[in-house]
Amino acid sequence: MTIRALVLALLFAAPVHAQTDPSTAALNAAQMLEDASVALTEADSARDRVRALTETIQAYEAGLTAMREGLRRAATREAQLTVELRTREKDIAQLLGVLQTIETTSPPVLMLHPSGPLGSARAGMMLSEVTPGLNARAQALAHDLQEVQTLRQLQQSAAETLTEGLTGVQTARTQLSTAIADRTDLPSRFVEDPVRTAILISSTETLEGFASGLSEISEGEIAETSADISDRKGEIALPVQGVVLNRAGETDAAGVKRPGVVLGTRPRAIVTAPTAATIRYRGPLLDLGNLVILEPQPGLLFVFSGLQEVYGNTGQVIPEGTPVGLMPGETPEIGAILSTSGDGTGTDRSETLYIEVRQDNSPVDPESWFRTSKDG
């Protein structure tokens, strides 16, 4: 193969194995979504269908998050390469021109040099030194062109993958609601008295007042428990995928300081029990919207507010990882996801979950119990 033909082959070939970091990330995300689809199919036959569907939804959420990030990185990388290639158009033309000149110059002419045989030998030595450099430049150009092609193909095929993922997660959420409604295997520490609950709500002006009166909403005594999660203090995972928007004591967007943490989440994100706990209350309260109050151990309450749907019954003892609700909002359209993936600003986390921790009826910093990060 001639030198010019070799370069042209390198420039326009499309080796299957060539993958870039952004494209690899997006392809891995697509595999995560495919695995979640398989898990959704298998959830019907799972012994614990609620747990299987919960894990499936979390797998879908992780896959969709990774896909958004992969596409964002792919779009950024493609734009960067496109700009670089445009600035190198003159160099590329010169490179091809030199290679074409070398190829079209016949061997007899190359052997004739004004300085005689010694000049010809020196010219040959110079050419042998230049050719590897030209080849390296051609290889680098070929790699960049192939990377652009790979990234464009990836983004073109992303819409179908995202459509399937969004459909799958919505199906899993619907099936989860049904599975939770059908569940009868959870123990109860007490049975809620709806009349007492209504009276407590109507007389409550603060979350603190409601929390202190929780013992009044049961029919009869609340069974004692020896549950203890003290050894996990500071290491408990957050109940939802999200990023910290406000820490305890910080002023929120409304200019209000609260003793809890505000997380930014994506619409319809699943919220789960971070530890085994008793559901002390679930439903609307004050201006907090729908909330769930969990008691992982005596004297300790985890309050999660801002939910659209809440799961479970007051008094039930639920295992760690049990779904307790879904965040509000509408699942975004494909176009919105693709455009969001291009900026990376986190504006797609449009919903907020408020987390408050109360110990011995006083608020404490949630981060003394939960492991948080600004990166989400």
Side-chain angles (χ1 to χ4, degrees):
M1 180 181 290
T2 65
I3 295 177
R4 183 169 184 272
L6 174 62
V7 172
L8 292 176
L10 287 170
L11 294 180
F12 298 106
V16 176
H17 66 276
Q19 296 295 341
T20 64
D21 286 342
S23 65
T24 300
L27 291 172
N28 289 341
Q31 184 60 52
M32 292 171 68
L33 292 174
E34 176 63 27
D35 293 343
S37 177
V38 173
L40 178 58
T41 302
E42 296 175 347
D44 282 336
S45 59
R47 181 176 180 181
D48 188 341
R49 193 159 177 260
V50 170
R51 177 175 291 277
L53 287 169
T54 301
E55 292 174 351
T56 297
I57 292 172
Q58 291 171 331
Y60 269 119
E61 290 181 347
L64 289 168
T65 297
M67 177 62 79
R68 289 182 180 97
E69 175 61 16
L71 291 175
R72 183 189 68 80
R73 292 173 57 194
T76 302
R77 179 60 178 161
E78 184 201 344
Q80 176 187 359
L81 284 172
T82 299
V83 171
E84 290 179 359
L85 289 171
R86 284 175 180 169
T87 60
R88 290 161 53 193
E89 285 180 353
K90 184 180 293 186
D91 291 342
I92 294 170
Q94 290 177 346
L95 171 62
L96 291 176
V98 171
L99 294 171
Q100 186 173 13
T101 300
I102 293 174
E103 178 194 349
T104 56
T105 303
S106 61
V109 175
L110 289 175
M111 292 179 65
L112 298 176
H113 195 278
S115 300
L118 182 59
S120 296
R122 288 175 175 171
M125 292 173 63
M126 292 174 61
L127 183 61
S128 67
E129 292 176 356
V130 170
T131 300
L134 293 174
N135 184 58
R137 290 173 64 188
Q139 290 278 6
L141 179 60
H143 177 272
D144 289 348
L145 288 171
Q146 173 57 36
E147 187 173 352
V148 170
Q149 182 182 31
T150 300
L151 293 171
R152 286 180 179 172
Q153 290 174 346
L154 176 69
Q155 293 174 82
Q156 289 170 357
S157 64
E160 181 178 352
T161 303
L162 285 170
T163 298
E164 293 174 354
L166 290 170
T167 301
V169 72
Q170 183 55 40
T171 300
R173 288 169 181 151
T174 302
Q175 292 184 7
L176 177 64
S177 297
T178 302
I180 290 175
D182 294 340
R183 188 172 214 175
T184 59
D185 60 336
L186 293 178
S188 293
R189 285 182 59 203
F190 64 92
V191 176
E192 180 185 26
D193 184 328
V195 175
R196 291 183 177 181
T197 300
I199 293 174
L200 177 61
I201 291 175
S202 64
S203 62
T204 292
E205 296 182 357
T206 64
L207 176 59
E208 179 179 0
F210 183 81
S212 64
L214 282 178
S215 59
E216 302 173 11
I217 70 174
S218 64
E219 289 184 354
E221 296 294 323
I222 299 176
E224 296 294 328
T225 175
S226 59
D228 187 354
I229 61 167
S230 300
D231 60 331
R232 299 179 60 185
K233 192 171 183 179
E235 296 299 324
I236 298 173
L238 291 169
V240 66
Q241 288 187 15
V243 295
V244 176
L245 301 180
N246 292 98
R247 290 184 149 84
E250 292 182 345
T251 303
D252 62 19
V256 178
K257 288 185 179 181
R258 298 183 185 275
V261 169
V262 177
L263 298 182
T265 78
R266 292 193 170 90
R268 309 298 290 159
I270 190 170
V271 181
T272 60
T275 66
T278 301
I279 301 177
R280 294 303 303 266
Y281 176 75
R282 40 88 78 185
L285 182 68
L286 302 172
D287 61 345
L288 299 172
N290 272 337
L291 60 78
V292 172
I293 300 179
L294 302 180
E295 184 186 56
Q297 69 181 37
L300 181 66
L301 299 177
F302 293 162
V303 182
F304 306 142
S305 72
L307 300 161
Q308 178 169 310
E309 299 176 34
V310 287
Y311 298 138
N313 296 316
T314 301
Q316 281 183 333
V317 181
I318 57 176
E320 179 176 338
T322 300
V324 295
L326 292 176
M327 296 300 294
E330 297 295 331
T331 301
E333 300 295 332
I334 297 298
I337 293 177
L338 291 174
S339 63
T340 297
S341 67
D343 57 36
T345 60
T347 54
D348 55 333
R349 300 180 188 271
S350 57
E351 307 305 323
T352 55
L353 180 73
Y354 176 68
I355 300 176
E356 186 167 314
V357 176
R358 304 189 65 83
Q359 194 163 4
D360 298 327
N361 210 30
S362 296
V364 297
D365 188 348
E367 291 185 88
S368 66
W369 284 93
F370 289 95
R371 183 178 66 252
T372 61
S373 169
K374 279 288 187 184
D375 299 327

